[in-house]
Amino acid sequence: MHSFSEILDQLNAFGKEQSFPKAPAELYEPCDYILSLGGKRLRPALALMAAELVGGDPGLALHPAWAVELFHNFSLIHDDIMDAAPLRRGQPTVHMRWDLTTGILSGDVMLIYAYQHLAQTPKQEVLPQLLEVFNRVAIGVCEGQQLDINFEKRAEVSLEEYLYMIELKTAVLLGGALEMGALAAGSTAQDAALLYDFGRLAGIAFQIQDDLLDTYGDPGTFGKQVGGDILQNKKTFLVLKTLEIASETDASALRQLLNPATQQEPESKIAAVRSLFDKYQVPALVQTEKARFEQKAFEALAAVSAPDSRKEVLRSMVAELLHRQK
Amino acid sequence: MHSFSEILDQLNAFGKEQSFPKAPAELYEPCDYILSLGGKRLRPALALMAAELVGGDPGLALHPAWAVELFHNFSLIHDDIMDAAPLRRGQPTVHMRWDLTTGILSGDVMLIYAYQHLAQTPKQEVLPQLLEVFNRVAIGVCEGQQLDINFEKRAEVSLEEYLYMIELKTAVLLGGALEMGALAAGSTAQDAALLYDFGRLAGIAFQIQDDLLDTYGDPGTFGKQVGGDILQNKKTFLVLKTLEIASETDASALRQLLNPATQQEPESKIAAVRSLFDKYQVPALVQTEKARFEQKAFEALAAVSAPDSRKEVLRSMVAELLHRQK
């Protein structure tokens, strides 16, 4: 078995060889740029780990893994336009560094290149299955982005709706990366589906943890500003849980605090919202909810018909991510 | 053999059954909307005709044909954003009727649905070949759109560059529709490639004709304003041919006329530009160029290993389109 860092090395070596054409430069330079911003390459790494877990050569999953990475970066370019985000990993977003047209068109061509990589999967007999998973997951991600946009405009969002949104927007792609990596290496459909569930459920747990860390992370180690979600009035899991269980009065107070029209000092706003979360012990409730998804995730992993020794790299990597403090 | 109108009937019946999901409505309503604007369905019809031409059941090409139609409509939604176009077939464009975000995201999901239809091709054994063609053509269309954007900003564009741009932006998709239709019905790769060339070359001839009709069409029958390209200062085939052969003085005069900074009456501008085209007999030269591509197109069709009787529906439909006056 390869370690996580060996998997990443293999992936990065492969990625360096997968260059876009040189011309038209206006179309392809932004594709190279977004990839160069240095994401964690978590999704393609999952695909390679799944391939090895089911007993295959991780190299069999390289092209599908890269397809997932290109899809992820396509979605970042287009999401940044929709969110009017100026920065991505501390650097200008594509539509800011170039322009709107460049962002749209470079994103489009990157999505097509994702399919081109998928089509290069070494075991061509599994291409129909890979395409089925890729399309299903890609449609899910678009639907999740739409729900996220809808929810920002809506006054009321239920916790159930929120969970469904984050499942589509972020978790299904993690599951899909694992499922495709397994299928590309010759896995049974059943094991591939269990790995999909593992990734999907762990992905929901990740997102819940993200919400928690954004408000309760250690300012010394957390990469972003603690309280950022509160300042952006985001309807996070913490907010929605509080609204669900708080008294009428406290719920109104929270809504007022998160109303963009309310004038308030950033630090006092963060403190006031946190004290409402704390009053209802929401952090502990959210931890419990996260643990529920985490447990279901590892149950799915346990059910995959492979020896425990082959699951260890993936299990420990995901466990570490789910218990990070930043 | 089915007639062109029977092919269209089969296609429209199929299209009616291919509905998008109902939710999220904000994502899928714009997809239904752009399809409802009633294009000619030329590209998917080509796919069905190619399937029958090579001796197959046109029904075998329905899903790939619909993939091509969805791809075409995806590109219309995104191109309309990039061109800041308010209207499409007399109706508001998607980003005008909804907003930018809707245009981007609905276009994205439509592109993914195109692949989903491709994946449903009945003869699964040809899926790798279909994907290869689809990806190649889709990348070409994106590159063509980028070149078109680049050329608008450039002072000088050669005729050769212009032909390459229109080949990518519009012609390769016509060729790809035919190639995929043939492959989906079990054609040899050689016949499919000849049909691709037929569509690609006829597509270039179409575009040259479009340029000609825009300036020399009969105002009584031409659907749009005659002279529209001139008023938009477009670097059409007519303009580039004139710049290539005109005297230094006349070329400068033409550049001046097509400079957006020049103040001039629309009708006198059109007349002045036309008189420069006429002085160098550019319409006749452009007709000759169009006829050259048309001839090469029909040579490719003639080389397809199928009886002439099976080529007749496609041949006569394309010949009619190439000699339409509006």
Side-chain angles (χ1 to χ4, degrees), chain B residues 279-299:
Chain B
K279 177 172 176 182
Y280 291 94
Q281 293 169 317
V282 165
L285 292 171
V286 171
Q287 277 286 7
T288 305
E289 193 74 1
K290 176 194 150 192
R292 196 168 68 85
F293 283 102
E294 185 177 345
Q295 189 192 332
K296 287 201 288 183
F298 285 110
E299 280 167 15

Side-chain angles (χ1 to χ4, degrees), chain B residues 5-241:
Chain B
S5 78
E6 285 166 347
I7 289 279
L8 279 182
D9 287 346
Q10 184 177 5
L11 195 59
N12 286 324
F14 178 81
K16 274 193 193 129
E17 292 161 19
Q18 310 310 311
S19 56
F20 289 98
K22 290 285 158 259
E26 297 82 358
L27 181 64
Y28 291 120
E29 274 177 9
C31 298
D32 287 324
Y33 171 76
I34 185 92
L35 284 170
S36 78
L37 294 184
K40 295 181 293 291
R41 306 278 187 256
L42 173 64
R43 292 159 191 80
L46 287 173
L48 266 59
M49 285 188 277
E52 200 161 27
L53 189 155
V54 299
D57 177 349
L60 289 169
L62 277 166
H63 275 292
W66 204 245
V68 170
E69 183 66 4
L70 292 185
F71 176 84
H72 175 58
N73 279 271
F74 137 77
S75 75
L76 295 181
I77 296 178
H78 280 195
D79 283 6
D80 282 342
I81 299 174
M82 297 184 235
D83 299 341
L87 295 177
R88 159 80 47 196
R89 295 178 193 131
Q91 298 294 319
T93 48
V94 168
H95 69 282
M96 291 299 285
R97 174 152 167 174
W98 287 275
D99 53 24
L100 172 67
T101 289
T102 302
I104 293 174
L105 197 55
S106 294
D108 289 346
V109 85
M110 218 162 169
L111 173 55
I112 298 162
Y113 272 90
Y115 281 100
Q116 207 197 45
H117 277 283
L118 202 64
Q120 291 177 66
T121 195
K123 287 181 183 283
Q124 287 281 296
E125 66 273 23
V126 296
L127 184 54
Q129 289 161 275
L130 290 180
L131 255 183
E132 188 278 318
V133 179
F134 192 94
N135 288 332
R136 169 167 50 82
V137 163
I139 288 168
V141 171
C142 289
E143 293 185 354
Q145 170 70 357
Q146 183 66 56
L147 293 178
D148 196 14
I149 292 165
N150 292 354
F151 291 174
E152 275 188 35
K153 297 176 187 163
R154 270 169 48 182
E156 301 288 334
V157 175
S158 72
L159 263 178
E160 193 186 5
E161 288 176 314
Y162 180 76
L163 284 173
Y164 184 57
M165 182 275 284
I166 61 175
E167 174 175 345
L168 289 177
K169 186 169 171 168
T170 70
V172 297
L173 188 57
L174 301 177
L178 288 161
E179 186 174 7
M180 285 188 266
L183 289 171
S187 158
T188 64
Q190 194 184 350
D191 281 340
L194 285 166
L195 283 165
Y196 171 79
D197 272 341
F198 170 63
R200 181 180 63 84
L201 293 161
I204 298 171
F206 282 137
Q207 190 60 49
I208 295 174
Q209 175 175 254
D210 265 2
D211 285 2
L212 204 53
L213 283 177
D214 195 275
T215 300
Y216 290 96
D218 178 345
T221 57
F222 188 63
K224 296 177 284 187
Q225 179 186 18
V226 173
D229 284 350
I230 293 174
L231 295 180
Q232 288 175 67
N233 308 305
K234 281 197 184 166
K235 297 188 191 80
T236 62
F237 200 91
L238 296 158
V239 171
L240 299 175
K241 189 77 196 171

